[in-house]
Amino acid sequence: MKGQVITPFARPLATNRKHTSRGRTSETLIGVFFGGNALVAIVVLLLITLFLFREGFGFFGGNLQNLRVYRAAGLEYVDIMREQADAHAALSRALSQVRLREVRSFPANSRSVEEINAALAPFDRYANDFSEAGTELAGLVSDVGEQAVALKEEMLLRSGASESTKTEGATDLAQTAEGQTGGLETLRSSYPKYQQVCATMAAVLMNLQATAPRLSSGNAQEAFEKVNARTREYVAGFPGQAQRLREWDSAKPVRWYHSITSFLFDKRWITASFWQDWYGIAPLLAGSIMVSFVALALAVPFGVASAVYVSEIATRPEQNLIKPYIEFIAAIPSVVLGFFGIAVVGQAIRAASELSFFRWIPFFPLSERLNVFTAGALLALMAVPTIFTLSEDALRNVPRAFKEASYALGANRLQTIGRVIVPASLSGIVSAVLLGLGRVIGETMVVLLCAGNRIAIPDFSEGLGAFFQPVHTMTGIIAQEMGEVVRGSIHYRALFMVGLVLFALTLLINLAAQKITKRYRMSIG
């Protein structure tokens, strides 16, 4: 057309603007999609945290009321005596273990059962007299225990509090101790008899120490001498126990922080007891830490060494064979590994401990096949894929210039790996180890099946033998008891507090791993 100016690039520019606008729209939608998912994840995590805090922190008020009733009703007074009775029973069980070691020291088929019993007759008389020495003390504890339970029930009736109101902490039951003076005085009137029983018991035990028989097995004799040393310490502690009874005061206040300290440091986890419920996390935390330690002690060398080999030494066919098989372990269900631990690993360890080749080890043979080591060995198998994969990534991310510089200076492959590649990737390897720790400390099924589920801190006087004793863990106790508790009870809230502690531990471990990873990436960059 005449007078019309045609711009040859007008149409393409409009098309580019349209494509750019569409590209921005699609990027915005993608950003909204992934940002929305991230926001949902954050909200869910926040809700879980708030739920744990809400359900868990109600525990402390109810536990405080329990502790106040425990003192006001005189149960604490009885438990001071019970500590002595329980310690004597533990020594009697230790003597049974000494006898078992002595029997196992005899060569197989060398003697009949009658001959073995005849050879052990002096020791059996000693052990029997030792056990009977605590009979009067156990009877006294039973008598005063019945009085304390009756006093506790009377207090609860006077307060008009049911179990549900007690757990909610709505009523300060300790205030109902007024008017209970007569019951407490009756309880205290047992002290003279207690003194008499302790004096007789101490005399019997010290006389037995003077006439203790000798055993033929050096291993059994050494264990016997340890029990005798513990017995002397036990008798020496009688005056201290008597002083605690004299100084005990039912009116001594139970402060608010006692509920927290009893949860963090008490060694007892006892639930649904007619006597007193205890919710101490110490044995559960100790069990989780010990199992995790064994798992890392086994998994870190295997995982890191495998990563170094696959990354720096193995040929391509070896890499294609090793890497998928190690990573496939992560796909095995934990319950399958737990059954494998029960049927194979635990049985194999106990069978190995009974071999004559290992007779020199003090705590062998093992009486329990489910223990810290069994659970730790299975958890190590679960942690190896995590440690291997992340460690291999860290090793592969080391700049090639580092290797070339090392070879240029005349270093061989082993020197390059040990002095250049591994130190350069150390932050990434440590991060892999921490993530592996987070993996094993939060595992439930394996420890529930293979750790033995004994709620007690292991006896560390056994040295390395403590790692072959049964334990319970935080994850195991939650899985075992959560389905049986009454919603809103102290027990229910205590399990949530355990979950909160576990949540805090795993969060700290993951935060530490992320910080180390960030530092590692910055150093590589």
Side-chain angles (χ1 to χ4, degrees), residues 378-504:
L378 271 297
L379 288 181
L381 191 62
M382 300 179 67
V384 163
T386 300
I387 297 174
F388 166 80
T389 301
L390 297 177
S391 297
E392 188 198 13
D393 291 341
L395 291 165
R396 290 189 182 278
N397 285 331
V398 175
R400 185 175 181 83
F402 287 16
K403 306 177 188 179
E404 294 174 349
S406 177
Y407 289 135
L409 291 173
N412 57 31
R413 177 183 290 179
L414 185 60
Q415 291 171 330
T416 300
I417 292 173
R419 299 184 181 182
V420 177
I421 297 176
V422 172
S425 59
L426 188 59
S427 297
I429 293 174
V430 172
S431 176
V433 172
L434 289 177
L435 289 174
L437 174 60
R439 173 75 174 88
V440 301
I441 202 171
E443 174 56 37
T444 302
M445 189 56 66
V446 169
V447 293
L448 187 61
L449 293 175
C450 300
N453 299 339
R454 178 188 295 171
I455 306 177
I457 296 178
D459 183 9
F460 290 102
S461 65
E462 294 287 335
L464 292 178
F467 290 94
F468 291 88
Q469 297 176 17
V471 295
H472 218 321
T473 63
M474 293 184 289
T475 54
I477 202 73
I478 294 172
Q480 184 178 13
E481 298 184 355
M482 182 55 78
E484 302 174 358
V485 298
V486 178
R487 183 180 178 85
S489 65
I490 299 179
H491 189 185
Y492 173 83
R493 299 189 185 280
L495 293 176
F496 271 93
M497 280 304 304
V498 174
L500 192 58
V501 172
L502 183 62
F503 177 78

Side-chain angles (χ1 to χ4, degrees), residues 4 23 26 65-66 138 156 163 170 182 314 347 360 385 430 440 458 498 522:
Q4 184 177 2
S26 61
Q65 297 291 34
N66 265 358
L156 295 178
E163 183 67 21
Q347 188 64 31
W360 56 274
V430 172
V440 301
V498 174
M522 291 176 62

Side-chain angles (χ1 to χ4, degrees), residues 56 144 157 298 322 425 508 521:
V144 295
L157 289 174
L298 296 175
I322 296 173
S425 59
L508 289 175
R521 288 174 179 172

